[in-house]
Amino acid sequence: IVITPFQKLGVQLRDVLGEKAYRWPLVDCSETRCIAQAKYIVSAIEHCRYNSAFIQFLKDINERRGILKIFVDEVHHVLEAGKPDFRPCLGAFWTFRNKLLTVGVHALVVGLTATLRSIDIPRLRELISGCHGTMPNFRRSCYRSSVQFQVGWTQSDSDAQEMCIKETLALAEKGK
């Protein structure tokens, strides 16, 4: 199970994870087929509510196949859960997690982020594990040699947009 903070990221992750990845809410397959075939279920955090259809769906998957891990992508966003005026769905994630436990889904929660500050680690550990300092933390470089950045200067936004389009089309022709 992969939980993302934004709908658009869920679309991108499903594409990256391949044909055995499905998005919740299900659009391109039935629940039966998805439960039988899915390697990954990708959902935006908005669907992670206490009494949601997603809870029942995950319970069904867990009963039929088991769920080992729940990945929370860009997990640093849940640190904003204490701010009621900023995306209330972030705070609802923790009641969702507790509800999963009551229906028998005891999957390991794995938080993924490339931008978590060291000073935020203790608070995030407590949010995810429920107690202070008991969760392991693995920090690795997120450097990817295939990702490159280029800075270009233009006179206007439309010129910048045109330059980006040309550069992207040139890379696409090269198969990159």
Side-chain angles (χ1 to χ4, degrees):
I1 307 299
V2 182
I3 309 296
T4 68
F6 307 108
Q7 292 281 353
K8 183 66 175 170
L9 185 55
V11 172
Q12 293 170 346
L13 276 172
R14 193 198 71 193
D15 292 343
V16 168
L17 293 171
E19 64 184 44
K20 294 287 185 175
Y22 298 92
R23 276 188 65 217
W24 179 268
L26 300 175
V27 176
D28 50 358
C29 76
S30 68
E31 283 191 23
T32 303
R33 182 174 143 224
C34 185
I35 290 170
Q37 295 181 356
K39 186 172 181 180
Y40 304 101
I41 304 294
V42 180
S43 176
I45 203 163
E46 291 91 64
H47 302 294
C48 299
R49 291 186 294 271
Y50 188 79
N51 285 319
S52 66
F54 193 41
I55 293 271
Q56 184 60 46
F57 179 67
L58 294 178
K59 180 180 182 245
D60 292 346
I61 290 175
N62 191 60
E63 288 172 353
R64 290 186 178 104
R65 299 177 36 193
I67 297 174
L68 298 177
K69 294 178 184 147
I70 298 173
F71 294 93
V72 182
D73 196 24
E74 303 295 344
V75 73
H76 57 276
H77 285 280
V78 300
L79 292 172
E80 302 297 324
K83 300 175 183 173
D85 55 332
F86 180 77
R87 300 193 65 216
C89 62
L90 297 174
F93 176 76
W94 304 113
T95 56
F96 165 82
R97 173 66 175 134
N98 290 336
K99 179 66 174 184
L100 284 178
L101 294 171
T102 66
V103 298
V105 179
H106 296 278
L108 176 69
V109 175
V110 178
L112 305 171
T113 180
T115 58
L116 184 68
R117 301 176 310 172
S118 295
I119 61 171
D120 291 329
I121 291 172
R123 183 163 171 250
L124 189 59
R125 277 185 179 153
E126 190 172 349
L127 282 170
I128 290 178
S129 68
C131 39
H132 188 67
T134 60
M135 185 179 84
N137 170 24
F138 304 97
R139 294 187 75 93
R140 301 289 181 263
S141 170
C142 62
Y143 172 76
R144 295 184 194 110
S145 60
S146 63
V147 177
Q148 298 176 4
F149 295 93
Q150 178 180 344
V151 178
W153 299 101
T154 63
Q155 296 296 318
S156 67
D157 288 347
S158 61
D159 290 346
Q161 185 177 18
E162 186 178 327
M163 183 177 73
C164 287
I165 290 169
K166 285 179 183 177
E167 293 289 328
T168 302
L169 290 174
L171 289 171
E173 286 179 10
K174 294 178 185 176
K176 294 183 177 186

